[in-house]
Amino acid sequence: MSQPYTFETQLLHNKYKVDPATGGVSVPIQHASTYHQPSIDHFGKYDYSRSLNPTREALEDIIAELEGGVRGFAFSSGMAAISTAFMLLSQGDHVVITEDVYGGTYRMVTQVLNRFGIEHTFVDMTDLDAVEQAVRPNTALLYAETPSNPLLKITDIRALSSIAKKHGAYTFVDNTFMTPYLQRPLDLGADIVLHSATKFLSGHSDTVAGLAVVKDEQLANRLYSLQNSFGAVLGVQDAWLVMRGIKTLSVRMNQSQDSARKIAQFLKGQPLIKNVFYPGLASHSQSDLQSQQAGGPGAVLSFEFGNEGLLPGFIDSVKLPVFAVSLGAVESILSYPAKMSHAAMPPEERKLRGIGDGLLRLSVGLENADDLISDFQQALYGLETAAAYREGLS
């Protein structure tokens, strides 16, 4: 029996490698919204593109294979995927959720689900005892981001899934930062894995997309019914862009991750930087756990200025990263969680979670790491020089 292909080869070689009708080496973009049916008694596989479309189906099959699930689902955004998965819950259910979760997920849980009688408890999921204590008789879901956004905390997926199963609850894992190249939550016991495919999977800042992969056929059927009911499906052009991005996922992740390691080490030695959050650093309290459950620390890190007043000057001085919302692209993206990814989280809640006003998140792209370090170095040196000058005047 032949050995299965490595992940890198699977990115390129799957059942959609060649179009059987033409031999084309790119999945055809099928724009049709509706499909002719043979007769009143015999309908074809496709009837209406909200329910199923050949181009979207190709992406859904590809991500299911890469994540090791039974079925994949493509949505119009990462939040559409997350929100639809949350709709598997019912009134009276309770969710235990990562405390420093993405701001959009925080908003969904605190401003939408609560209106439908779905309760929630935020916990530090690095503390499994705290997770266990947060579980109630009506807990239906444990929801994790690992690494978390933006503090890069690591949740033990296998242990979390075990707690969930003991209490008859589901485990959902947002795998956006890692992608299936570095981490496969379904293999570790999770029930649904979620992605903002806008990020590393597509990788080029040119599409908005969300993906979900389900481990169990029965649960997959339920999620399909919700996808079809809500209709927040991914358009065919965007599905094609995500598939194109997936082909280069491994080479992009490798280079970005290697650069992130170097940049994190550089920042850790800078006197103006109080904290660096990156699971690739030996000083990270969950670095061993990350290495056990994932193939690497990823390409996202956060760092915090000791004096938050220096942050605007740093942003004005750096030249290479774009200062923008989002992450996971070929270009490095520097973002400010307090006013970007976590703007939906009230200031007092951010403070409780350690998301300070001096915190920046960096998604490392494909630039040369030494160029990025030099850019950061000149910006930090400028701030140090200005501070020394002001001190001299005083």
Side-chain angles (χ1 to χ4, degrees):
M1 183 177 179
S2 61
Q3 293 296 313
Y5 291 130
T6 61
F7 188 93
E8 292 85 349
T9 301
Q10 288 179 48
L11 292 173
L12 299 166
H13 296 273
N14 50 57
K15 68 179 181 179
Y16 296 100
K17 172 183 174 180
V18 176
D19 176 30
T22 66
V25 295
S26 178
V27 173
I29 299 176
Q30 176 55 266
H31 281 285
S33 61
T34 192
Y35 304 82
H36 175 70
Q37 303 305 318
S39 73
I40 192 171
D41 295 318
H42 296 91
F43 278 27
K45 181 179 182 181
Y46 308 99
D47 62 355
Y48 187 60
S49 275
R50 171 170 47 80
S51 301
L52 191 63
N53 171 280
T55 309
R56 189 176 79 241
E57 181 185 31
L59 172 59
E60 292 176 333
D61 287 349
I62 288 168
I63 192 61
E65 181 179 351
L66 295 177
E67 283 284 9
V70 298
R71 193 166 178 182
F73 302 90
F75 296 87
S76 55
S77 69
M79 279 312 306
I82 290 167
S83 300
T84 305
F86 272 132
M87 289 298 100
L88 289 162
L89 302 176
S90 300
Q91 183 179 13
D93 284 346
H94 173 251
V95 180
V96 179
I97 185 168
T98 306
E99 63 177 2
D100 59 319
V101 74
Y102 168 58
T105 308
Y106 176 91
R107 179 173 52 229
M108 178 67 188
V109 169
T110 60
Q111 298 181 26
V112 180
L113 294 187
N114 63 333
R115 291 172 46 227
F116 294 96
I118 297 172
E119 303 170 324
H120 62 270
T121 301
F122 289 103
V123 297
D124 177 358
M125 282 196 165
T126 65
D127 184 348
L128 294 173
D129 288 336
V131 173
E132 188 78 64
Q133 290 169 17
V135 173
R136 304 175 185 174
N138 61 332
T139 298
L141 171 64
L142 305 187
Y143 185 101
E145 284 180 0
T146 183
S148 66
N149 184 4
L151 296 178
L152 287 299
K153 293 182 177 181
I154 309 303
T155 298
D156 187 330
I157 300 172
R158 195 183 299 278
L160 188 75
S161 301
S162 178
I163 293 171
K165 286 178 175 58
K166 183 171 69 174
H167 294 282
Y170 293 126
T171 304
F172 296 176
V173 177
D174 185 330
N175 201 31
T176 298
F177 277 23
M178 290 286 97
T179 80
Y181 178 57
L182 294 177
Q183 182 172 269
R184 300 221 312 180
L186 300 184
D187 290 349
L188 299 172
D191 297 291
I192 296 181
V193 60
L194 297 156
H195 292 276
S196 173
T198 308
K199 313 304 194 294
F200 288 107
L201 288 172
S202 60
H204 291 77
S205 296
D206 57 9
T207 186
V208 174
L211 297 172
V213 181
V214 185
K215 188 175 185 178
D216 173 77
E217 193 69 52
Q218 185 177 3
L219 187 60
N221 290 337
R222 291 180 60 202
L223 187 59
Y224 170 72
S225 178
L226 288 167
Q227 182 195 40
N228 194 31
S229 297
F230 282 104
V233 295
L234 189 62
V236 293
Q237 295 279 358
D238 292 315
W240 186 89
L241 285 170
V242 176
M243 284 187 282
R244 183 183 66 172
I246 284 174
K247 291 180 180 181
T248 60
L249 175 64
S250 61
V251 292
R252 288 187 288 104
M253 287 298 290
N254 283 336
Q255 179 165 331
S256 293
Q257 181 174 249
D258 287 347
S259 295
R261 284 192 178 102
K262 295 177 184 177
I263 293 167
Q265 288 286 359
F266 162 76
L267 290 170
K268 190 169 172 57
Q270 299 307 301
L272 298 183
I273 304 301
K274 180 172 69 173
N275 291 308
V276 179
F277 304 96
Y278 182 61
L281 293 173
S283 58
H284 191 289
S285 59
Q286 293 102 34
S287 60
D288 288 343
L289 173 59
Q290 178 68 6
S291 65
Q292 291 167 19
Q293 70 180 16
V300 179
L301 59 100
S302 293
F303 57 99
E304 186 176 23
F305 281 87
N307 178 357
E308 64 189 49
L310 298 176
L311 186 146
F314 178 79
I315 291 169
D316 289 342
S317 298
V318 290
K319 298 177 175 63
L320 287 179
V322 296
F323 180 55
V325 172
S326 200
L327 57 97
V330 291
E331 63 278 340
S332 291
I333 300 177
L334 193 64
S335 67
Y336 184 40
K339 291 188 176 180
M340 291 181 174
S341 60
H342 289 68
M345 191 177 286
E348 62 274 13
E349 293 295 331
R350 292 198 303 269
K351 186 176 180 180
L352 282 173
R353 290 158 171 76
I355 305 171
D357 290 341
L359 185 74
L360 288 172
R361 189 189 68 199
L362 175 68
S363 171
V364 181
L366 300 184
E367 304 91 347
N368 185 286
D370 293 337
D371 290 335
L372 288 165
I373 289 171
S374 294
D375 187 25
F376 285 8
Q377 201 162 30
Q378 63 82 23
L380 291 168
Y381 177 75
L383 294 175
E384 290 171 344
T385 303
Y389 176 73
R390 287 193 298 271
E391 187 175 331
L393 288 178
S394 62

